[in-house]
Amino acid sequence: MSTAVEVDGTTEERTPPVLDLRAVTVRFGSVPALSRVSLALRAGEVTCVLGENGSGKSSLVAVVSGLLRPVEGELRLDGVPVRFRSPQQARSRGIATVWQDLAVAPLMSVWRNFFLGAEPTRGTWPLRRLDVGRAEEIAAQAMARVGVAGLDPAQPASALQAGERQCLAIARALHFGARVLVVDEPTAPMTIAQRALVLQSVVTARDSGLAVLFVTHNPQYAHLVGDRFLLLGGGRVAGDLTREDVDVEDLTRLVAGGDELTRLGEQLRAAHPDR
């Protein structure tokens, strides 16, 4: 069910968030990593989070993924308050995270890494056994869905390039029914073609109806796939914008910081002193 909001005198229909963060604060000792950050993730929408190192991006990913619990504020899943006590608990509720330093089991096959203990079987106990052929077929189809076509699922995962490893994690999230996908931009060096693969898989997830949180420092990549842009600075929301608000040049200038980002942050705090 969608809700109607008034924007510039017109009524705009918006779907309720799948996951909603409300005035979330995280502290390490007395130092706030996030300060009253609010964020709404909606199905079929990519929200890009941008900011410099130390802006709070990693802390935000950790909160959404169940790795950190806020000291103030709340998370709501389908409108119901939740407290994730671990990444496993968040994952069980449909939140899949592709971590920045994503690792695979290099000597295991691609299809083994894809299923990770949820492999299809055939036969009945006590003769039940792995259905390797079916597992390879599913893994290959899932990878093709996110743009990695012609992959041999029996090859070791160590043969995958960095972008393909990210796509493997995204393909797995899609196959196993995730509702929220968090993609933390990888630190591993990538070619343009490999980055394009990751961006294509993000778009595929959005078009499949997932609510996507894409964390990046690159405004050009963000503007290619993003529907909304959350700018963080010093753990605070410095901007919450849509594609209609900014073009790629505007976004690049804002992310670069300087006077523009400072003024935007001041304007937002003046308009919303409670944030």
Side-chain angles (χ1 to χ4, degrees):
M1 181 174 125
S2 61
T3 57
V5 295
E6 190 170 310
V7 180
D8 296 331
T10 62
T11 300
E12 176 185 333
E13 291 290 327
R14 304 222 53 201
T15 57
V18 178
L19 185 65
D20 195 8
L21 278 68
R22 301 188 177 187
V24 163
T25 295
V26 171
R27 295 191 186 94
F28 296 112
S30 61
V31 178
L34 295 174
S35 182
R36 298 186 62 79
V37 170
S38 296
L39 170 67
L41 300 177
R42 291 179 168 83
E45 189 173 271
V46 176
T47 299
C48 295
V49 178
L50 302 104
E52 297 179 343
N53 290 337
S55 63
K57 300 192 303 296
S58 295
S59 296
L60 181 61
V61 170
V63 168
V64 173
S65 305
L67 195 61
L68 282 178
R69 291 191 291 278
V71 295
E72 296 175 13
E74 67 176 7
L75 280 71
R76 288 176 174 258
L77 186 64
D78 295 322
V80 179
V82 292
R83 288 181 64 85
F84 299 134
R85 301 187 180 280
S86 68
Q88 292 79 9
Q89 192 175 67
R91 191 162 56 245
S92 72
R93 300 294 298 273
I95 299 172
T97 302
V98 181
W99 298 99
Q100 190 176 59
D101 54 352
L102 176 71
V104 297
L107 299 181
M108 290 173 60
S109 64
V110 171
W111 71 264
R112 280 282 196 178
N113 275 274
F114 180 85
F115 284 100
L116 293 176
E119 295 85 356
T121 59
R122 58 181 176 177
T124 57
W125 190 89
L127 302 177
R128 184 178 293 118
R129 59 195 183 279
L130 289 179
D131 191 342
V132 176
R134 180 63 178 151
E136 291 181 340
E137 179 184 6
I138 292 172
Q141 289 175 349
M143 290 294 282
R145 182 182 179 189
V146 296
V148 186
L151 180 75
D152 177 9
Q155 70 180 343
S158 58
L160 297 178
Q161 299 184 57
E164 292 170 335
R165 288 196 289 272
Q166 298 293 119
C167 289
L168 174 62
I170 294 172
R172 187 179 193 277
L174 283 167
H175 177 74
F176 285 101
R179 301 181 61 212
V180 175
L181 176 67
V182 182
V183 182
D184 197 1
E185 188 174 56
T187 54
M190 289 189 192
T191 64
I192 295 295
Q194 289 294 305
R195 290 193 181 277
L197 267 180
V198 175
L199 294 178
Q200 179 179 335
S201 64
V202 166
V203 171
T204 298
R206 178 197 66 193
D207 292 346
S208 299
L210 274 69
V212 182
L213 181 67
F214 181 47
V215 180
T216 179
H217 69 278
N218 191 310
Q220 285 83 14
Y221 294 152
H223 206 270
L224 282 172
V225 301
D227 300 295
R228 301 190 67 87
F229 310 101
L230 188 79
L231 308 183
L232 291 181
R236 291 178 175 271
V237 175
D240 188 355
L241 309 165
T242 69
R243 289 183 69 87
E244 289 71 34
D245 296 326
V246 288
D247 59 21
V248 67
E249 288 79 15
D250 293 331
L251 191 61
T252 300
R253 187 169 62 252
L254 288 169
V255 172
D259 294 339
E260 292 90 348
L261 188 56
T262 300
R263 282 197 298 270
L264 178 59
E266 290 172 349
Q267 291 168 4
L268 285 167
R269 282 191 288 275
H272 305 281
D274 59 326
R275 293 187 66 176

